[in-house]
Amino acid sequence: MEKIRQHALIFIILYISTFYVWLFLFKDQEFIRLLGSDLFFVIAASISFILLFQTFRFTQDQTRYFWLMLSIGVFFAVMAQIVCLYYRSFLQTDLPYPSLADAFWIMQYSIFLVALILKRWLLKHLFPMTRFLFNLFIIMTVVTTISWAFLIGPNITPATGTVISSIVSLAYPILNLGILFASLSLFFIAQFTINKTVLSLITFGFLAQILADSIYVFQYMQTAFVLGNNFFAPLWALSLLLIATAGLTSQQQDQTIKFSNHTAQQKNGNLITYGSILLLLLIVVFTHDTHSIIDVGFIVTVLLVLFRQILIISENEKLVKNLQELSSDLEKKVEQRTGELNLALEKMERMANYDALTGLPNRYMLLEHLEKVIKACKQKDVNLALLFIDLDRFKFVNDTMGHEAGDLLLIDVANLLKRCVRGDDLVARQSGDEFIILLKHISPAEVSGIAQRIIEEFEPAFLIKGKEFYTTPSIGVSMYPKDALSIEDLLRNADLAMYQAKERGKNNYQFYHSVYNTVNRKLLIENGLRNAINNNELYLVYQPQHDIITNKIVGTEALLRWKHPELGNVVPDEFIPIAENSGLILQIGKWVIETACFQNKAWQEIGHPPIKVGVNISSLQFKDPNFLSYIKEVLHRSKLAPSLLDLEITESCMQNIDETKLIIGQLKELGVSISIDDFGTGYSSLSVLNQLPIDRVKIDRSFIHDMLTHSKTASLVSAIIELGHNLEVELVAEGIEDVVQVTFLQDFNCQTGQGYLYSPPLDLKEIQSYFKENEKIIV
């Protein structure tokens, strides 16, 4: 649109310049000069008529009639000039006054005035401010005064001429005043809009016409007018071309009214207003003795200016008052909003650091506090103890009395544990029915005393919903710095000691002993693994995976567990590395895949909707030459749809990207899904994902755990999610334990999550019950 307008304006400049050159070149040849002047105008008027009529045809809203009337007005201008051309060129005589041409011109001006009134009516919903209305009235007062003194007044009592000629002579300035008022009104409205080019071009076009008419009338009355030999003749052609350019611009421009700022509007309006007042003042000074109407007009103008300033002062006072009221309201709202935000922040902080059910510190707060305490203990060379407490028979409460009763029991246990510790000790809820107690500056003997006190406090029955219920604690203890130096090792060792307490009959406490990590223990584990499958010691637990947005169950991950006949439950972190180092992982891995596939198919056969089951694959399995053929065989024997098997490979499989890409490609041809497990903790980089046909990326639980307390971790998680979306890879967040984490992940459109917030890993009976309880939300 900008280029079209620029080209149109360049054409106008060249056209008018050519017009002036013609008048100059043939200033001494009257016939050629007059002929050229008339032809130039006819050409300009014809072009304008065509463009305006085309604008009427292509405009679909109410403004189309405005363009139609403008095109009709231009048509009358063409007809008037043709009459002039006929008299001057063919009859070679002066045009009589008044003549048919005057009739056409008056029709042109009348239709132009009606068109402008119509346009103003179409914009009736836009009313300029009071100061702009006064600006318009001031300008019109100045113009009317000057017109009356020099153009209209002399024609009221003409020295010579007929009544008709006087009427025609008066019609021109009066119509021009009407056109000026209407066009200036549009101009001021244009200052209130962003898309103001069309209205401005129309205004300037009519101003050019009025200027040419005024100069013509003034010269004619002063007998200084020379037909066809005047500098203002091209202004009539310029007027029509500018109006036509407005129509051309209208075809390309969105005419939706949009308001601009009032500063520019006020500046433009004041400039024109004060300029007109200055002009009138100069006329008063130089014509004081000859025109009393000028004096009257000047007085009226001054009075309008005074009224305008009074109204502006009144408006400004109202604006100041409104601004003060708005400022006061804003201060109140800001104060109120600040209070609400503080409450929300306190609530979010509590949600992030405290367990919603028991009110105890949650795992996040525990780890943060534990990190500080370990640093302090290291500097002062003192001990601390970590008690890992698991409730015995807690599942029985949920199964027999419902989850509500289980929640009430957890609340009672939390209160009991707080009574058993010292004032500066920390009691936290790990997850489910697991609690952790942090004891600072304490000896093993003192730890034993507190652990024994906890066991004794559990002896009386808990009263739940009017019924007595007994439960006991199994307590594992690890000491700093004797048993471990890091947070992870302290927690793991306390967990191991807790399992040892359960193996020894529950309702007791056990300290962690390093003998469980000696070579003898490793040999015992390795030897036990060799017969674990045949002895039915291995079993799978399943952890559900939920859609983070809808909370629907979309899959489950099969996790390997081992109950050793002597060592009891051996955690995967302990026996999996031994299985990999010994090569036993190949045999165990095949058992896991087969068991998971057959179990998934069995769920479907008893009526559960089909869902995807994930199986962890070690790097040794992944690189096994027989791995692909075994997957084919298991899928064939189990009759499980390949799309329902998700193979979770570790990042260690990606050390050789070309080999990895080949193997994954072969697996994808089978139709199975491929996931990268614990993403961000191994060898892969973000750029590797673009090279592999991966279906899902599982964000490691350590990132999910730290993202609410460490801004860099939060940024990394959001970057991984955004990358996954860009690569069209599904994102799975592991280790979700808090609703605040879910909110964060929802904000970044992470699709899937798993963790203790939804459910811990469940054995076969428990997972089937979980499916049944949630069958309405299984995808």
Side-chain angles (χ1 to χ4, degrees), residues 323-341:
L323 183 60
Q324 291 174 344
E325 293 177 353
L326 289 174
S327 178
S328 178
D329 292 341
L330 181 61
E331 288 178 0
K332 293 179 182 178
K333 290 181 179 179
V334 168
E335 183 178 353
Q336 179 183 357
R337 185 58 177 164
T338 301
E340 293 174 353
L341 288 175

Side-chain angles (χ1 to χ4, degrees), residues 449-501:
I450 292 176
Q452 186 59 44
R453 182 184 175 187
I454 292 173
I455 292 173
E456 292 171 357
E457 288 288 332
F458 270 83
E459 290 180 1
F462 290 91
L463 190 62
I464 303 175
K465 291 186 174 182
K467 296 182 181 179
E468 292 185 344
F469 183 81
Y470 292 89
T471 185
T472 55
S474 294
I475 306 174
V477 182
S478 63
M479 301 287 297
Y480 173 90
K482 174 179 172 290
D483 299 327
L485 298 176
S486 68
I487 296 175
E488 292 79 8
D489 291 341
L490 273 173
L491 289 169
R492 186 183 66 248
N493 293 344
D495 192 18
L496 289 172
M498 184 272 294
Y499 277 110
Q500 184 67 20

Side-chain angles (χ1 to χ4, degrees), residues 357 397-398 401-411 464-465:
L357 177 64
V397 178
N398 282 335
M401 302 181 65
H403 289 285
E404 183 181 356
D407 290 344
L408 294 174
L409 175 60
L410 291 174
I411 294 173
I464 303 175
K465 291 186 174 182

Side-chain angles (χ1 to χ4, degrees), residues 57 116 372 452 507 590 690:
R57 290 181 56 206
L116 290 172
K372 296 178 182 178
Q452 186 59 44
N507 196 28
K590 289 181 179 179
N690 193 35

Side-chain angles (χ1 to χ4, degrees), residues 9-244:
L9 294 177
I10 291 172
F11 169 78
I12 292 173
I13 293 171
L14 293 175
Y15 185 88
I16 300 301
S17 299
T18 305
F19 200 157
Y20 275 113
V21 170
W22 180 277
L23 294 177
F24 177 77
L25 291 177
F26 300 101
K27 61 182 179 179
D28 296 327
Q29 301 180 42
E30 182 178 358
F31 179 77
I32 297 177
R33 185 182 70 244
L34 289 175
L35 178 64
S37 178
D38 290 340
L39 286 175
F40 268 104
F41 184 85
V42 169
I43 292 171
S46 300
I47 293 174
S48 301
F49 170 76
I50 293 171
L51 292 177
L52 290 171
F53 191 76
Q54 184 182 18
T55 303
F56 157 71
R57 290 181 56 206
F58 286 99
T59 302
Q60 300 300 321
D61 56 22
Q62 290 180 318
T63 60
R64 66 194 309 262
Y65 299 107
F66 167 71
W67 299 111
L68 174 62
M69 297 182 76
L70 288 182
S71 63
I72 293 172
V74 174
F75 173 77
F76 280 116
V78 174
M79 296 303 297
Q81 200 63 36
I82 290 175
V83 172
C84 293
L85 189 63
Y86 172 75
Y87 273 91
R88 294 169 184 167
S89 301
F90 293 95
L91 300 181
Q92 294 187 355
T93 182
D94 290 337
L95 190 68
Y97 184 81
S99 67
L100 181 60
D102 291 297
F104 283 134
W105 275 319
I106 290 174
M107 286 297 297
Q108 171 200 351
Y109 286 18
S110 300
I111 291 174
F112 279 169
L113 179 57
V114 173
L116 290 172
I117 293 173
L118 172 63
K119 183 66 173 179
R120 182 62 185 88
W121 182 82
L122 292 175
L123 298 175
K124 60 181 179 296
H125 57 286
L126 292 177
F127 290 99
M129 295 185 301
T130 304
R131 67 187 65 182
F132 294 105
L133 289 174
F134 266 90
N135 283 344
L136 181 59
F137 289 140
I138 291 170
I139 294 170
M140 288 306 303
T141 301
V142 172
V143 174
T144 302
T145 300
I146 297 173
S147 297
W148 189 277
F150 298 104
L151 302 178
I152 299 176
N155 284 291
I156 294 179
T157 56
T160 60
T162 64
V163 175
I164 296 177
S165 63
S166 298
I167 294 173
V168 172
S169 298
L170 285 172
Y172 285 114
I174 292 173
L175 287 172
N176 274 330
L177 283 175
I179 291 172
L180 177 62
F181 183 84
S183 59
L184 283 178
S185 176
L186 292 180
F187 177 76
F188 278 105
I189 290 177
Q191 306 309 304
F192 277 76
T193 64
I194 293 176
N195 298 326
K196 58 186 179 182
T197 305
V198 173
L199 295 180
S200 297
L201 286 171
I202 291 171
T203 302
F204 292 138
F206 283 112
L207 287 178
Q209 172 187 293
I210 293 168
L211 179 61
D213 283 352
S214 300
I215 296 173
Y216 165 74
V217 173
F218 184 77
Q219 285 191 352
Y220 188 83
M221 290 191 302
Q222 300 295 324
T223 66
F225 176 74
V226 179
L227 187 63
N229 188 17
N230 46 74
F231 69 93
F232 61 87
L235 290 180
W236 283 298
L238 175 63
S239 167
L240 299 183
L241 289 174
L242 286 175
I243 296 172

Side-chain angles (χ1 to χ4, degrees), residues 67 132 145 153 181 217 242 256 302 322 334 364 411 425 451 483 530 619 638 689 711:
W67 299 111
F132 294 105
T145 300
F181 183 84
V217 173
L242 286 175
T256 302
V302 171
N322 291 338
V334 168
Y364 306 119
I411 294 173
D425 295 328
D483 299 327
R530 297 185 184 279
S619 58
S638 66
L689 294 180
S711 59

